[in-house]
Amino acid sequence: MSKLESNGANGSSKQFHAPSRHAPTPGKATVLALGKAFPSQLIPQDCLVEGYIRDTKCVDVAIKEKLERLCKTTTVKTRYTVMSKEILDKYPELATEGSATIRQRLEIANPAVVQMALEASLSCIKEWGRPVEDITHIVYVSSSEIRLPGGDLYLASKLGLRNDVGRVMLYFLGCYGGVTGLRVAKDIAENNPGSRVLLTTSETTILGFRPPNKARPYDLVGAALFGDGAAAVIVGSKPKPGQETPFMELNYAVQQFLPDTHNVIDGRLSEEGINFKLGRDLPQKIDENIEEFCKKLMAKASLKDFNELFWAVHPGGPAILNKLESTLKLGSDKLECSRRALMDYGNVSSNTIFYVMENMREELKKKKEEEREEWGLALAFGPGITFEGILMRSL
């Protein structure tokens, strides 16, 4: 397994101790630190097509041309991947159509996912600045590993957490898993005074890697869009002055599913790995329901104007962001943090919302006091169709 990187472009271990502009609402959970990590294999989008066609031994010119078009429309520029030449040399059957390879995929994915989660967590804990013994709960999110015990236990052991740490494992939620994790961490923090929750998400595309097949057109979309990585945050209420620096309040959270849309995002695990099908109507379904969902969150703070908020939206793809921007009549800069995360990392499933939040933290710091938005929304969409949303407050 190639060494993981968690600093510089791949981490968030800087300590932030600027004073908060707003005091946290008493009893509400806050985000106290953030970290991220990636595999060391960086793939520029310009190089992806040649590599993928070579690795899968594809000789179909039409498939190659379609992948080239998709790579341009996704707006992705770079991505990180666990998959490497060394892995394909060891497991050539991963690039062979119809091979029963779930055992091999899990041999690769299970340790890789925990290693990335470890790197992201260490980066996050370093920024937080308190000892690991002060972590009381762990929420572990992944759609990329399968085993008992799960990665939550392996991660807790590798970090040296207390053996009475409260563990929650959220498996196979897909792209909305990061915001679900925030909602669960918020509930734990607010209902257990003094608790500090480590939330970590970690994903790899190993389970879905396969050669292109005209019968599975979405495989090419996945090859052009998805990447690997991990993220971590520390969540707690009543931050300790001088020891902790909260930068975001998790004020109110809502999860909602859209009835009769469970087939729009369809993921199936088989002997060959995981296979996804996306309905072409996914952006439209989100578009038809998103305004009402956002208004439900905003009502908690008597907010009316979409453009007075900051927006941390999971970038499932450019079509979803474009629809959201158009429907809510958002200013052209409102989804910039989401677009930049998509460009830099691709869609990294549950992790991506935290890359957006990190971009947002930096953007809010740059703004003049009178230009900084106090309130914002974190949004993610995934199988169900499920909406996850959190009304956030910049501190």
Side-chain angles (χ1 to χ4, degrees), residues 221-367:
V221 178
L225 183 64
F226 287 96
D228 299 356
V233 291
I234 300 282
V235 175
S237 61
K238 202 175 180 182
K240 296 197 171 208
Q243 291 187 45
E244 296 175 316
T245 309
F247 65 89
M248 203 69 75
E249 176 181 298
L250 306 176
N251 188 275
Y252 177 61
V254 174
Q255 184 192 67
Q256 178 180 309
F257 71 91
L258 307 183
D260 302 317
T261 62
H262 52 279
N263 290 324
V264 177
I265 305 173
D266 186 41
R268 301 294 174 95
L269 193 65
S270 73
E271 296 87 346
E272 298 174 42
I274 196 163
N275 183 40
F276 281 99
K277 294 179 183 176
L278 283 190
R280 290 182 177 273
D281 56 344
L282 175 60
Q284 186 63 35
K285 293 289 186 186
I286 293 173
D287 181 54
E288 290 169 356
N289 294 275
I290 192 60
E291 185 170 353
E292 180 186 349
F293 183 72
C294 291
K295 286 179 176 178
K296 182 187 296 187
L297 288 159
M298 293 164 65
K300 279 291 177 179
S302 301
L303 302 167
K304 304 287 186 185
D305 187 347
F306 292 129
N307 278 294
E308 287 185 356
L309 308 179
F310 60 84
W311 292 81
V313 181
H314 168 75
I320 291 173
L321 295 178
N322 293 342
K323 278 276 189 185
L324 185 71
E325 184 177 278
S326 172
T327 298
L328 302 183
K329 299 179 174 59
L330 298 179
S332 59
D333 62 331
K334 287 295 179 179
L335 299 181
E336 178 59 29
C337 291
S338 296
R339 296 188 190 280
R340 198 172 349 130
L342 182 64
M343 184 185 304
D344 291 344
Y345 309 114
N347 180 342
V348 200
S349 192
S350 64
N351 305 307
T352 326
I353 191 66
F354 300 106
Y355 309 154
V356 177
M357 284 175 63
E358 184 179 50
N359 289 343
M360 183 60 64
R361 174 168 69 175
E362 296 299 325
E363 284 302 309
L364 289 171
K365 280 171 56 185
K366 291 177 188 174
K367 290 186 176 183

Side-chain angles (χ1 to χ4, degrees), residues 59-78:
V59 294
D60 190 321
V61 175
I63 284 179
K64 181 181 178 182
E65 290 175 348
K66 182 175 182 180
L67 183 56
E68 286 173 339
R69 290 194 301 272
L70 286 168
C71 282
K72 291 175 182 175
T73 58
T74 60
T75 70
V76 178
K77 299 295 183 188
T78 51

Side-chain angles (χ1 to χ4, degrees), residues 72-90:
K72 291 175 182 175
T73 58
T74 60
T75 70
V76 178
K77 299 295 183 188
T78 51
R79 280 177 292 169
Y80 294 87
T81 67
V82 171
M83 180 60 80
S84 64
K85 183 179 184 300
E86 292 75 19
I87 287 175
L88 281 174
D89 287 345
K90 184 177 179 180

Side-chain angles (χ1 to χ4, degrees), residues 34-172:
L34 186 152
K36 63 184 190 294
F38 301 95
S40 58
Q41 176 104 335
L42 175 64
I43 308 291
Q45 194 80 332
D46 293 344
C47 303
L48 181 128
V49 176
E50 291 298 331
Y52 179 73
I53 294 298
R54 180 192 65 238
D55 292 343
T56 58
K57 300 178 174 61
C58 176
V59 294
D60 190 321
V61 175
I63 284 179
K64 181 181 178 182
E65 290 175 348
K66 182 175 182 180
L67 183 56
E68 286 173 339
R69 290 194 301 272
L70 286 168
C71 282
K72 291 175 182 175
T73 58
T74 60
T75 70
V76 178
K77 299 295 183 188
T78 51
R79 280 177 292 169
Y80 294 87
T81 67
V82 171
M83 180 60 80
S84 64
K85 183 179 184 300
E86 292 75 19
I87 287 175
L88 281 174
D89 287 345
K90 184 177 179 180
Y91 300 99
E93 59 271 30
L94 296 181
T96 304
E97 182 66 42
S99 297
T101 52
I102 189 64
R103 176 184 60 80
Q104 295 93 319
R105 293 172 190 275
L106 292 174
E107 281 179 7
I108 304 162
N110 287 344
V113 165
V114 169
Q115 182 63 21
M116 289 189 291
L118 174 65
E119 296 285 342
S121 297
L122 289 171
S123 176
C124 180
I125 292 166
K126 183 177 180 181
E127 180 184 301
W128 180 42
R130 290 179 59 183
V132 294
E133 293 80 13
D134 290 352
I135 294 171
T136 59
H137 298 77
I138 185 169
V139 178
Y140 182 91
V141 181
S142 183
S143 298
S144 305
E145 68 156 67
I146 308 169
R147 57 177 162 176
L148 298 172
D152 60 321
L153 181 71
Y154 290 98
L155 178 61
S157 299
K158 287 176 180 289
L159 286 171
L161 302 186
R162 296 161 17 189
N163 68 353
D164 64 347
V165 66
R167 304 184 341 258
V168 176
M169 190 166 59
L170 299 172
Y171 265 9
F172 284 90

Side-chain angles (χ1 to χ4, degrees), residues 1-45:
M1 186 59 57
S2 53
K3 186 174 180 287
L4 294 159
E5 302 178 356
S6 62
N7 291 312
N10 292 306
S12 182
S13 58
K14 297 177 288 183
Q15 291 209 9
F16 287 81
H17 291 297
S20 296
R21 300 187 315 278
H22 306 288
T25 305
K28 293 293 184 181
T30 61
V31 181
L32 301 168
L34 186 152
K36 63 184 190 294
F38 301 95
S40 58
Q41 176 104 335
L42 175 64
I43 308 291
Q45 194 80 332

